Structures are given as C-alpha cells and as structure tokens.
Amino acid sequence: MVGRLVGGRLTDRFGGASIGAVWFGATAVGAYLLSVHMPLAVIYVVVFLTGLFLFSAQPMIYATAAARSDDDNRATAVGWISGMGRFGAVFGPWLGGQLLATGSTTTGFTVFAAVGDFSLIFIGLTGLPSLKRSTDSDAARPAAAAAS
C-alpha cells in the first residue's frame, strides 16, 4: 500500500508513464540484486522494496493506458493490459520453476530483471508525445484543396 500511495501522488504530479518507468527500473534492479549473495537482513529489505515497486507499478500501467486511449477503445486497452498481466502471473512462476528445476538458482532473478527492463522501456515509450489526427475540416480535404 505504501508504494501505491507514494506512486499515486507522484503519478498525479509527473504522469503514469514516467513514474511507471522509474518503478519498473527499480523493480529490475531489485530483482537482479536478489541474485547477489547478501546478508539476510539486506535480502529482506530488497524483497520488500522490490515488491513495493512491482505491485504499485501495475496500477500505473492501467492509469497510463486509460489516459492515453481514446474513449472508443479505452476498455479494450485496459483489458489487453490486464490480460497480459494475467499471462505474466501464470508464465512467470512456471518459468521460475523450470529454471530452478534445471539447477539454476540465480538465472531466474536475471530473467525477471530483464522483464522489468522491458516493462520500463515499453511504458516509457507510452509517455512519448504522439501525433493525434486532426478532426478539423481541413484534415478531411486533400492538401491542394486546403492550400487554395
């Protein structure tokens, strides 16, 4: 809840794409740090912070999709994002189990860190300015007719 409260405030101020990208970057760093040998107390802090960033980043994705989508496709956009999140919720533990079954105890953390990096990149791209189609009457006319 702490991550959602802090993330929500920052999202209101700086935008969901920007803060979501930072949150996913922090998640990736935390996931990677879990592959490094550390004292138990430090591992607990890293797990707490990684979870804080990961589980509060998801609502930022929903907010960003809702804000960046037109009225006609907003529900579809949020539905697709929710579906991809559910896919990750099923595929992630399976992949982790498969990696663990092969005897790899640290590769899973690196793979999950890479997924966090991909999320950082993709949500960061949604924050880029987009070219909206003009709804003016000039947009419907050919360029030669608009120039006359």
Side-chain angles (χ1 to χ4, degrees), residues 86-109:
R86 298 297 160 233
F87 173 78
V90 172
F91 184 73
W94 175 84
L95 178 62
Q98 293 299 315
L99 290 170
L100 193 59
T102 64
S104 176
T105 57
T106 59
T107 305
F109 294 117

PDB file of all heavy atoms in Angstrom, residues 86-109:
ATOM      1  N   ARG A  86      -2.089 -10.978 -16.503  1.00  0.00           N
ATOM      2  CA  ARG A  86      -2.502 -12.317 -16.056  1.00  0.00           C
ATOM      3  C   ARG A  86      -1.636 -13.391 -16.706  1.00  0.00           C
ATOM      4  O   ARG A  86      -1.292 -14.381 -16.084  1.00  0.00           O
ATOM      5  CB  ARG A  86      -3.975 -12.574 -16.378  1.00  0.00           C
ATOM      6  CG  ARG A  86      -4.919 -11.644 -15.699  1.00  0.00           C
ATOM      7  CD  ARG A  86      -4.854 -11.781 -14.181  1.00  0.00           C
ATOM      8  NE  ARG A  86      -5.407 -10.594 -13.558  1.00  0.00           N
ATOM      9  CZ  ARG A  86      -4.774  -9.871 -12.642  1.00  0.00           C
ATOM     10  NH1 ARG A  86      -3.592 -10.212 -12.225  1.00  0.00           N
ATOM     11  NH2 ARG A  86      -5.339  -8.823 -12.112  1.00  0.00           N
ATOM     12  N   PHE A  87      -1.279 -13.174 -17.975  1.00  0.00           N
ATOM     13  CA  PHE A  87      -0.382 -14.118 -18.644  1.00  0.00           C
ATOM     14  C   PHE A  87       0.951 -14.185 -17.891  1.00  0.00           C
ATOM     15  O   PHE A  87       1.479 -15.266 -17.637  1.00  0.00           O
ATOM     16  CB  PHE A  87      -0.145 -13.695 -20.100  1.00  0.00           C
ATOM     17  CG  PHE A  87       0.897 -14.518 -20.792  1.00  0.00           C
ATOM     18  CD1 PHE A  87       0.596 -15.787 -21.252  1.00  0.00           C
ATOM     19  CD2 PHE A  87       2.180 -14.027 -20.966  1.00  0.00           C
ATOM     20  CE1 PHE A  87       1.558 -16.562 -21.886  1.00  0.00           C
ATOM     21  CE2 PHE A  87       3.146 -14.788 -21.599  1.00  0.00           C
ATOM     22  CZ  PHE A  87       2.838 -16.055 -22.055  1.00  0.00           C
ATOM     23  N   GLY A  88       1.494 -13.025 -17.528  1.00  0.00           N
ATOM     24  CA  GLY A  88       2.749 -12.990 -16.781  1.00  0.00           C
ATOM     25  C   GLY A  88       2.629 -13.631 -15.414  1.00  0.00           C
ATOM     26  O   GLY A  88       3.563 -14.275 -14.930  1.00  0.00           O
ATOM     27  N   ALA A  89       1.462 -13.492 -14.792  1.00  0.00           N
ATOM     28  CA  ALA A  89       1.242 -14.093 -13.475  1.00  0.00           C
ATOM     29  C   ALA A  89       1.229 -15.616 -13.538  1.00  0.00           C
ATOM     30  O   ALA A  89       1.529 -16.289 -12.553  1.00  0.00           O
ATOM     31  CB  ALA A  89      -0.070 -13.586 -12.879  1.00  0.00           C
ATOM     32  N   VAL A  90       0.894 -16.167 -14.687  1.00  0.00           N
ATOM     33  CA  VAL A  90       0.912 -17.621 -14.873  1.00  0.00           C
ATOM     34  C   VAL A  90       2.273 -18.069 -15.408  1.00  0.00           C
ATOM     35  O   VAL A  90       2.866 -19.031 -14.923  1.00  0.00           O
ATOM     36  CB  VAL A  90      -0.217 -18.067 -15.830  1.00  0.00           C
ATOM     37  CG1 VAL A  90      -0.088 -19.536 -16.188  1.00  0.00           C
ATOM     38  CG2 VAL A  90      -1.573 -17.778 -15.201  1.00  0.00           C
ATOM     39  N   PHE A  91       2.787 -17.369 -16.399  1.00  0.00           N
ATOM     40  CA  PHE A  91       4.023 -17.775 -17.053  1.00  0.00           C
ATOM     41  C   PHE A  91       5.247 -17.576 -16.161  1.00  0.00           C
ATOM     42  O   PHE A  91       6.180 -18.389 -16.184  1.00  0.00           O
ATOM     43  CB  PHE A  91       4.194 -16.999 -18.364  1.00  0.00           C
ATOM     44  CG  PHE A  91       5.388 -17.415 -19.164  1.00  0.00           C
ATOM     45  CD1 PHE A  91       5.386 -18.628 -19.837  1.00  0.00           C
ATOM     46  CD2 PHE A  91       6.508 -16.615 -19.243  1.00  0.00           C
ATOM     47  CE1 PHE A  91       6.479 -19.026 -20.584  1.00  0.00           C
ATOM     48  CE2 PHE A  91       7.610 -17.004 -19.979  1.00  0.00           C
ATOM     49  CZ  PHE A  91       7.597 -18.217 -20.654  1.00  0.00           C
ATOM     50  N   GLY A  92       5.279 -16.500 -15.376  1.00  0.00           N
ATOM     51  CA  GLY A  92       6.435 -16.199 -14.532  1.00  0.00           C
ATOM     52  C   GLY A  92       6.772 -17.306 -13.543  1.00  0.00           C
ATOM     53  O   GLY A  92       7.920 -17.778 -13.502  1.00  0.00           O
ATOM     54  N   PRO A  93       5.817 -17.742 -12.726  1.00  0.00           N
ATOM     55  CA  PRO A  93       6.122 -18.843 -11.805  1.00  0.00           C
ATOM     56  C   PRO A  93       6.495 -20.140 -12.521  1.00  0.00           C
ATOM     57  O   PRO A  93       7.365 -20.878 -12.061  1.00  0.00           O
ATOM     58  CB  PRO A  93       4.834 -19.013 -11.009  1.00  0.00           C
ATOM     59  CG  PRO A  93       4.184 -17.678 -11.061  1.00  0.00           C
ATOM     60  CD  PRO A  93       4.521 -17.141 -12.429  1.00  0.00           C
ATOM     61  N   TRP A  94       5.842 -20.399 -13.661  1.00  0.00           N
ATOM     62  CA  TRP A  94       6.209 -21.587 -14.422  1.00  0.00           C
ATOM     63  C   TRP A  94       7.659 -21.499 -14.879  1.00  0.00           C
ATOM     64  O   TRP A  94       8.431 -22.447 -14.732  1.00  0.00           O
ATOM     65  CB  TRP A  94       5.283 -21.757 -15.628  1.00  0.00           C
ATOM     66  CG  TRP A  94       5.697 -22.897 -16.514  1.00  0.00           C
ATOM     67  CD1 TRP A  94       5.389 -24.219 -16.367  1.00  0.00           C
ATOM     68  CD2 TRP A  94       6.535 -22.805 -17.672  1.00  0.00           C
ATOM     69  NE1 TRP A  94       5.978 -24.952 -17.365  1.00  0.00           N
ATOM     70  CE2 TRP A  94       6.691 -24.114 -18.179  1.00  0.00           C
ATOM     71  CE3 TRP A  94       7.170 -21.748 -18.325  1.00  0.00           C
ATOM     72  CZ2 TRP A  94       7.451 -24.392 -19.303  1.00  0.00           C
ATOM     73  CZ3 TRP A  94       7.927 -22.026 -19.449  1.00  0.00           C
ATOM     74  CH2 TRP A  94       8.062 -23.339 -19.924  1.00  0.00           C
ATOM     75  N   LEU A  95       8.041 -20.346 -15.437  1.00  0.00           N
ATOM     76  CA  LEU A  95       9.417 -20.167 -15.908  1.00  0.00           C
ATOM     77  C   LEU A  95      10.404 -20.271 -14.751  1.00  0.00           C
ATOM     78  O   LEU A  95      11.448 -20.909 -14.872  1.00  0.00           O
ATOM     79  CB  LEU A  95       9.558 -18.826 -16.620  1.00  0.00           C
ATOM     80  CG  LEU A  95      10.960 -18.492 -17.123  1.00  0.00           C
ATOM     81  CD1 LEU A  95      11.407 -19.516 -18.159  1.00  0.00           C
ATOM     82  CD2 LEU A  95      10.989 -17.092 -17.695  1.00  0.00           C
ATOM     83  N   GLY A  96      10.066 -19.638 -13.637  1.00  0.00           N
ATOM     84  CA  GLY A  96      10.936 -19.738 -12.460  1.00  0.00           C
ATOM     85  C   GLY A  96      11.108 -21.171 -12.009  1.00  0.00           C
ATOM     86  O   GLY A  96      12.217 -21.601 -11.664  1.00  0.00           O
ATOM     87  N   GLY A  97      10.034 -21.938 -12.014  1.00  0.00           N
ATOM     88  CA  GLY A  97      10.104 -23.348 -11.643  1.00  0.00           C
ATOM     89  C   GLY A  97      10.945 -24.152 -12.610  1.00  0.00           C
ATOM     90  O   GLY A  97      11.713 -25.030 -12.206  1.00  0.00           O
ATOM     91  N   GLN A  98      10.815 -23.865 -13.902  1.00  0.00           N
ATOM     92  CA  GLN A  98      11.611 -24.569 -14.906  1.00  0.00           C
ATOM     93  C   GLN A  98      13.101 -24.254 -14.740  1.00  0.00           C
ATOM     94  O   GLN A  98      13.942 -25.146 -14.840  1.00  0.00           O
ATOM     95  CB  GLN A  98      11.148 -24.204 -16.322  1.00  0.00           C
ATOM     96  CG  GLN A  98       9.769 -24.694 -16.658  1.00  0.00           C
ATOM     97  CD  GLN A  98       9.665 -26.199 -16.596  1.00  0.00           C
ATOM     98  OE1 GLN A  98      10.513 -26.928 -17.085  1.00  0.00           O
ATOM     99  NE2 GLN A  98       8.610 -26.682 -15.962  1.00  0.00           N
ATOM    100  N   LEU A  99      13.422 -22.996 -14.477  1.00  0.00           N
ATOM    101  CA  LEU A  99      14.822 -22.622 -14.276  1.00  0.00           C
ATOM    102  C   LEU A  99      15.381 -23.267 -13.009  1.00  0.00           C
ATOM    103  O   LEU A  99      16.518 -23.734 -12.995  1.00  0.00           O
ATOM    104  CB  LEU A  99      14.960 -21.098 -14.217  1.00  0.00           C
ATOM    105  CG  LEU A  99      14.721 -20.367 -15.535  1.00  0.00           C
ATOM    106  CD1 LEU A  99      14.644 -18.870 -15.303  1.00  0.00           C
ATOM    107  CD2 LEU A  99      15.811 -20.700 -16.537  1.00  0.00           C
ATOM    108  N   LEU A 100      14.571 -23.294 -11.972  1.00  0.00           N
ATOM    109  CA  LEU A 100      15.004 -23.924 -10.722  1.00  0.00           C
ATOM    110  C   LEU A 100      15.179 -25.429 -10.897  1.00  0.00           C
ATOM    111  O   LEU A 100      16.112 -26.017 -10.357  1.00  0.00           O
ATOM    112  CB  LEU A 100      13.989 -23.630  -9.617  1.00  0.00           C
ATOM    113  CG  LEU A 100      14.423 -23.932  -8.196  1.00  0.00           C
ATOM    114  CD1 LEU A 100      15.665 -23.146  -7.835  1.00  0.00           C
ATOM    115  CD2 LEU A 100      13.303 -23.604  -7.231  1.00  0.00           C
ATOM    116  N   ALA A 101      14.312 -26.050 -11.685  1.00  0.00           N
ATOM    117  CA  ALA A 101      14.402 -27.491 -11.930  1.00  0.00           C
ATOM    118  C   ALA A 101      15.681 -27.860 -12.680  1.00  0.00           C
ATOM    119  O   ALA A 101      16.186 -28.972 -12.527  1.00  0.00           O
ATOM    120  CB  ALA A 101      13.191 -27.978 -12.717  1.00  0.00           C
ATOM    121  N   THR A 102      16.215 -26.934 -13.459  1.00  0.00           N
ATOM    122  CA  THR A 102      17.465 -27.204 -14.174  1.00  0.00           C
ATOM    123  C   THR A 102      18.685 -26.978 -13.297  1.00  0.00           C
ATOM    124  O   THR A 102      19.807 -27.177 -13.756  1.00  0.00           O
ATOM    125  CB  THR A 102      17.587 -26.329 -15.437  1.00  0.00           C
ATOM    126  OG1 THR A 102      17.658 -24.956 -15.054  1.00  0.00           O
ATOM    127  CG2 THR A 102      16.446 -26.566 -16.391  1.00  0.00           C
ATOM    128  N   GLY A 103      18.465 -26.565 -12.055  1.00  0.00           N
ATOM    129  CA  GLY A 103      19.583 -26.330 -11.141  1.00  0.00           C
ATOM    130  C   GLY A 103      20.096 -24.905 -11.151  1.00  0.00           C
ATOM    131  O   GLY A 103      21.061 -24.579 -10.485  1.00  0.00           O
ATOM    132  N   SER A 104      19.461 -24.049 -11.903  1.00  0.00           N
ATOM    133  CA  SER A 104      19.874 -22.652 -11.967  1.00  0.00           C
ATOM    134  C   SER A 104      19.192 -21.876 -10.849  1.00  0.00           C
ATOM    135  O   SER A 104      17.988 -21.661 -10.873  1.00  0.00           O
ATOM    136  CB  SER A 104      19.493 -22.063 -13.321  1.00  0.00           C
ATOM    137  OG  SER A 104      19.796 -20.698 -13.347  1.00  0.00           O
ATOM    138  N   THR A 105      19.970 -21.469  -9.872  1.00  0.00           N
ATOM    139  CA  THR A 105      19.364 -20.788  -8.724  1.00  0.00           C
ATOM    140  C   THR A 105      19.363 -19.273  -8.851  1.00  0.00           C
ATOM    141  O   THR A 105      18.611 -18.608  -8.160  1.00  0.00           O
ATOM    142  CB  THR A 105      20.110 -21.170  -7.431  1.00  0.00           C
ATOM    143  OG1 THR A 105      21.497 -20.839  -7.575  1.00  0.00           O
ATOM    144  CG2 THR A 105      19.953 -22.653  -7.143  1.00  0.00           C
ATOM    145  N   THR A 106      20.167 -18.709  -9.744  1.00  0.00           N
ATOM    146  CA  THR A 106      20.211 -17.249  -9.863  1.00  0.00           C
ATOM    147  C   THR A 106      19.749 -16.727 -11.217  1.00  0.00           C
ATOM    148  O   THR A 106      19.446 -15.553 -11.336  1.00  0.00           O
ATOM    149  CB  THR A 106      21.639 -16.722  -9.604  1.00  0.00           C
ATOM    150  OG1 THR A 106      22.525 -17.318 -10.550  1.00  0.00           O
ATOM    151  CG2 THR A 106      22.086 -17.042  -8.183  1.00  0.00           C
ATOM    152  N   THR A 107      19.668 -17.574 -12.228  1.00  0.00           N
ATOM    153  CA  THR A 107      19.277 -17.123 -13.563  1.00  0.00           C
ATOM    154  C   THR A 107      17.865 -16.560 -13.575  1.00  0.00           C
ATOM    155  O   THR A 107      17.590 -15.603 -14.292  1.00  0.00           O
ATOM    156  CB  THR A 107      19.391 -18.279 -14.579  1.00  0.00           C
ATOM    157  OG1 THR A 107      20.705 -18.799 -14.515  1.00  0.00           O
ATOM    158  CG2 THR A 107      19.090 -17.815 -15.973  1.00  0.00           C
ATOM    159  N   GLY A 108      16.978 -17.130 -12.778  1.00  0.00           N
ATOM    160  CA  GLY A 108      15.600 -16.642 -12.731  1.00  0.00           C
ATOM    161  C   GLY A 108      15.515 -15.181 -12.340  1.00  0.00           C
ATOM    162  O   GLY A 108      14.738 -14.420 -12.913  1.00  0.00           O
ATOM    163  N   PHE A 109      16.355 -14.758 -11.384  1.00  0.00           N
ATOM    164  CA  PHE A 109      16.337 -13.361 -10.977  1.00  0.00           C
ATOM    165  C   PHE A 109      16.802 -12.455 -12.108  1.00  0.00           C
ATOM    166  O   PHE A 109      16.258 -11.373 -12.323  1.00  0.00           O
ATOM    167  CB  PHE A 109      17.214 -13.147  -9.738  1.00  0.00           C
ATOM    168  CG  PHE A 109      16.682 -13.843  -8.519  1.00  0.00           C
ATOM    169  CD1 PHE A 109      17.410 -14.850  -7.915  1.00  0.00           C
ATOM    170  CD2 PHE A 109      15.457 -13.493  -7.974  1.00  0.00           C
ATOM    171  CE1 PHE A 109      16.927 -15.490  -6.789  1.00  0.00           C
ATOM    172  CE2 PHE A 109      14.959 -14.133  -6.857  1.00  0.00           C
ATOM    173  CZ  PHE A 109      15.699 -15.139  -6.265  1.00  0.00           C
TER     174      PHE A 109
END
